[in-house]
């Protein structure tokens, strides 16, 4: 697959599968919307894998099931009219599996669709997965004790093998689709509705291609896509309307992210549409393993809280570097169109340390936004400034203008727009400020 990136990145090709098709109905599946087909899915996938791989066909119909576990060389293909609806019986997602929950390794309920240590896997087609996540969403208000223990587990010396959850008392919700430690992954064409928590969550994967996917979620923390400590990822022609961030790039949380030491790198996001969410394309806040070589271009953000968002805080550590946003059109953004903020205030659990993260070498070019609460906000830490930022050819009409603080080497070139409230531009504790052709006016409504 051809691609042009501002950094060296190998091509990401789709996985290959033998010319073999297995139908889930041949293993007892019944698509009447009530029969439970967990074992039929399992047997069909196992049979396909044991024969050397191929396509597991899910024809039109309503297929109720528990968790689906993929195997190497298997393409789970939903034909048009296929609706796979997942059980709301929590015990169906046991026994626990190895996972990463909000950036920390543990054992928890199985994700609805799961694969571990697989090569050449795919989820494709024109059908729909319905996670029925409403059954799980109230756990958001019950999870705090277990989340606190998990977040502090590495700090307190609790080894990963002893971090076992998967109970209603712990209330840690599973992800919708999670391949972990997999290579050559394709997710194409399908629609995901309302999972328990994060929707598409590849972890420790290499060569991941996500294209033509639609994600529609409404519940708490129901991010659309979270590439997590992955390498060589392409996301294209996808649509997101989510209950949290549309796309959030991550690499582990705090001490556990430092232990694992796996960055997320070589990520391309292009030709995607974000219509609702807390952020359009987001980096962080779980970026403790490092994030580098990210290229986001030719996307549209038409609604949501924020557009381009990089977020972190004291205690995360890690480095975010070599990030490029280009050719992005925004409208109707409720808060910041562009925000780089080291004072993230919505973490599930506060860090135990104060190790500062570092953001540097970030390029944001050719951006328009018609309507935002704030045009641009950049806040570094006094002890760890954000460094080497270029914002070029950007025009935002907003209520508030541009605010920058604690930055080294900031270039604002051909930046303009109309803002409602004065002052249109404020700057505090910025060294190496270079302004060229700024045309930021105070005027009518943003």
């Amino acid at each position: 697959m051809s691609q042009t990136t501002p950094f060296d990145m190998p091509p990401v090709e789709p996985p290959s599968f033998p010319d073999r098709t297995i139908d889930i109905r041949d293993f007892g599946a019944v698509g009447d919307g009530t029969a439970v087909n967990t074992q039929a899915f399992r047997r069909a996938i196992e049979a396909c894998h044991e024969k050397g791989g191929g396509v597991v066909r899910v024809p039109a119909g309503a297929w109720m099931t528990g968790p689906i576990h993929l195997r190497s060389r298997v393409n789970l293909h939903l034909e048009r009219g296929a609706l796979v609806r997942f059980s709301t019986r929590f015990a169906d997602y046991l026994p626990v599996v190895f996972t990463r929950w909000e950036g920390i390794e543990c054992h928890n309920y199985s994700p609805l669709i799961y694969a571990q240590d697989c090569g050449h896997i795919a989820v494709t087609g024109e059908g729909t997965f319905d996670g029925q996540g409403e059954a799980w969403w109230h756990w958001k208000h019950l999870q705090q004790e277990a989340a606190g223990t998990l977040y502090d587990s590495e700090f307190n010396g609790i080894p990963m093998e002893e971090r076992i959850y998967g109970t209603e008392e712990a209330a840690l919700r599973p992800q919708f689709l999670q391949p972990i430690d997999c290579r050559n992954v394709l997710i194409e064409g399908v629609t995901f509705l309302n999972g328990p928590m994060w929707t598409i969550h590849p972890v420790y994967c290499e060569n991941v291609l996500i294209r033509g996917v639609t994600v529609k979620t409404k519940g708490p923390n129901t991010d659309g896509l979270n590439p997590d400590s992955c390498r060589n990822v392409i996301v294209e022609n996808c649509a997101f309307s989510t209950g949290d961030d549309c796309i959030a790039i991550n690499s582990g949380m705090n001490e556990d992210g430092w232990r694992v030491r796996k960055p997320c790198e070589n990520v391309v996001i292009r030709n995607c549409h974000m219509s609702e969410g807390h952020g359009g394309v987001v980096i962080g806040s779980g970026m403790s393993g490092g994030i580098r070589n990210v290229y986001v271009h030719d996307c549209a953000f038409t609604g949501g809280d924020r557009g381009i968002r990089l977020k972190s805080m004291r205690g995360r550590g890690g480095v975010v570097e070599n990030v490029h946003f280009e050719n992005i059109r925004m409208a109707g953004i409720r808060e910041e169109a562009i925000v780089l903020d080291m004072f993230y205030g919505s973490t599930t659990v506060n860090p135990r340390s104060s190790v500062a993260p570092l953001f540097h070498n970030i390029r944001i070019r050719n951006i328009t936004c018609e309507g935002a609460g704030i045009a641009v906000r950049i806040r570094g830490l006094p002890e760890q400034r954000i460094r080497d930022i270029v914002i070029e050819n950007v025009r935002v009409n907003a209520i508030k203008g541009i605010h920058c603080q604690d930055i080294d080497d900031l270039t604002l070139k051909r930046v303009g727009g109309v803002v409602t409230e004065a002052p249109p531009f404020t700057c505090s504790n910025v060294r190496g400020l270079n302004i060229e052709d700024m045309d930021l006016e105070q005027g009518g409504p943003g």
Side-chain angles (χ1 to χ4, degrees):
M1 175 173 295
S2 63
Q3 64 212 38
T4 301
T5 59
F7 42 80
D8 291 335
M9 176 176 172
V12 178
E13 301 292 345
S16 60
F17 302 95
D19 186 14
R20 176 183 296 109
T21 299
I22 289 177
D23 194 309
I24 61 169
R25 293 172 297 186
D26 294 337
F27 293 83
V30 178
D32 62 359
T34 57
V36 178
N37 297 292
T38 308
Q39 294 307 314
F41 273 98
R42 184 188 63 79
R43 289 193 294 265
I45 290 168
E46 289 293 333
C48 185
H49 170 71
E50 289 172 1
K51 290 180 179 181
V55 174
V56 172
R57 175 195 291 144
V58 183
W63 310 92
M64 180 68 73
T65 185
I68 296 172
H69 287 199
L70 299 177
R71 299 293 303 275
S72 294
R73 295 285 181 183
V74 172
N75 175 4
L76 180 67
H77 183 80
L78 273 61
E79 295 186 343
R80 180 178 295 183
L83 172 63
V84 176
R85 183 174 288 127
F86 286 89
S87 166
T88 59
R89 184 175 177 268
F90 307 136
D92 290 346
Y93 299 88
L94 297 173
V96 298
V97 299
F98 171 65
T99 184
R100 202 185 213 188
W101 195 91
E102 289 197 357
I104 302 164
E105 291 185 344
C106 66
H107 292 82
N108 193 35
Y109 287 104
S110 170
L112 280 54
I113 306 170
Y114 180 73
Q116 182 182 9
D117 294 320
C118 291
H120 292 267
I121 58 172
V123 176
T124 66
E126 299 178 72
T128 297
F129 293 103
D130 182 356
Q132 300 201 99
E134 298 92 331
W136 303 83
W137 291 345
H138 72 283
W139 284 17
K140 168 70 173 178
H141 307 292
L142 306 174
Q143 70 180 30
Q144 197 60 34
E145 182 177 352
T149 301
L150 179 59
Y151 265 61
D152 291 344
S153 56
E154 185 65 22
F155 183 88
N156 290 327
I158 300 172
M160 187 274 294
E161 294 79 8
E162 296 179 13
R163 304 171 195 171
I164 301 174
Y165 294 88
T167 66
E168 294 185 44
E169 291 74 23
L172 300 184
R173 291 164 288 157
Q175 301 86 349
F176 202 139
L177 167 59
Q178 185 184 78
I180 189 165
D181 282 310
C182 294
R183 298 148 307 283
N184 302 315
V185 178
L186 172 65
I187 306 168
E188 182 175 34
V190 291
T191 295
F192 295 90
L193 304 178
N194 291 329
M197 194 178 156
W198 293 1
T199 304
I200 304 171
H201 182 205
V203 183
Y204 310 149
C205 292
E206 186 167 348
N207 299 334
V208 179
L209 179 57
I210 300 170
R211 59 190 184 190
V213 166
T214 299
V215 177
K216 297 179 181 179
T217 65
K218 294 181 180 179
N221 309 116
T222 51
D223 297 27
L225 167 63
N226 301 78
D228 195 350
S229 293
C230 293
R231 186 172 187 271
N232 302 333
V233 179
I234 292 181
V235 184
E236 59 185 6
N237 304 317
C238 296
F240 298 90
S241 177
T242 68
D244 207 308
D245 294 327
C246 293
I247 297 177
I249 302 170
N250 298 286
S251 66
M253 191 72 76
N254 305 343
E255 292 85 0
D256 207 55
W258 308 338
R259 175 185 63 84
V260 174
R261 294 175 59 86
K262 290 184 180 179
C264 201
E265 58 187 339
N266 300 346
V267 179
V268 175
I269 300 166
R270 59 194 180 201
N271 301 315
C272 292
H273 181 204
M274 289 68 169
S275 59
E276 184 54 60
H278 290 182
V281 174
V282 177
I283 294 177
S285 71
M287 38 61 66
S288 302
I291 294 172
R292 59 180 175 247
N293 298 348
V294 177
Y295 184 33
V296 183
H297 66 96
D298 296 285
C299 293
F301 306 159
T302 56
D305 290 339
R306 301 164 190 87
I308 297 167
R309 186 183 192 190
L310 282 67
K311 59 184 181 180
S312 192
M313 63 190 302
R314 291 183 178 97
R316 295 284 191 256
V319 179
V320 172
E321 59 189 340
N322 201 21
V323 175
H324 303 259
F325 290 86
E326 293 183 347
N327 306 329
I328 295 174
R329 175 177 55 86
M330 305 186 215
I333 304 299
R334 290 184 289 271
E335 299 188 33
E336 301 97 336
I338 300 169
V339 55
L340 288 66
D341 192 2
M342 305 296 250
F343 290 88
Y344 179 59
S346 298
T347 183
T348 300
V349 178
N350 287 322
R352 297 291 295 271
S353 82
S354 59
V355 178
L358 171 63
F359 287 5
H360 74 110
N361 190 17
I362 298 165
R363 305 291 181 262
I364 301 173
R365 296 187 172 99
N366 304 333
I367 310 294
T368 63
C369 181
E370 187 56 51
I374 302 170
V376 178
R377 182 157 63 95
I378 306 175
R379 295 197 299 171
L381 295 167
E383 73 274 21
Q384 184 73 284
R385 298 160 178 258
I386 294 175
R387 304 176 187 171
D388 190 14
I389 309 299
V390 175
I391 299 179
E392 180 179 358
N393 195 26
V394 170
R395 186 167 186 85
V396 181
N397 294 335
I399 296 172
K400 297 182 179 181
I402 298 175
H403 173 70
C404 303
Q405 71 181 60
D406 291 308
I407 306 166
D408 284 344
D409 298 319
L410 170 64
T411 295
L412 301 173
K413 185 176 182 180
R414 294 191 300 276
V415 174
V418 178
V419 300
T420 305
E421 297 182 3
F425 175 66
T426 61
C427 180
S428 173
N429 202 21
V430 176
R431 296 185 299 217
L433 176 62
N434 178 26
I435 298 177
E436 301 180 34
D437 300 326
M438 180 178 282
D439 182 23
L440 198 62
E441 303 175 1
Q442 185 179 349

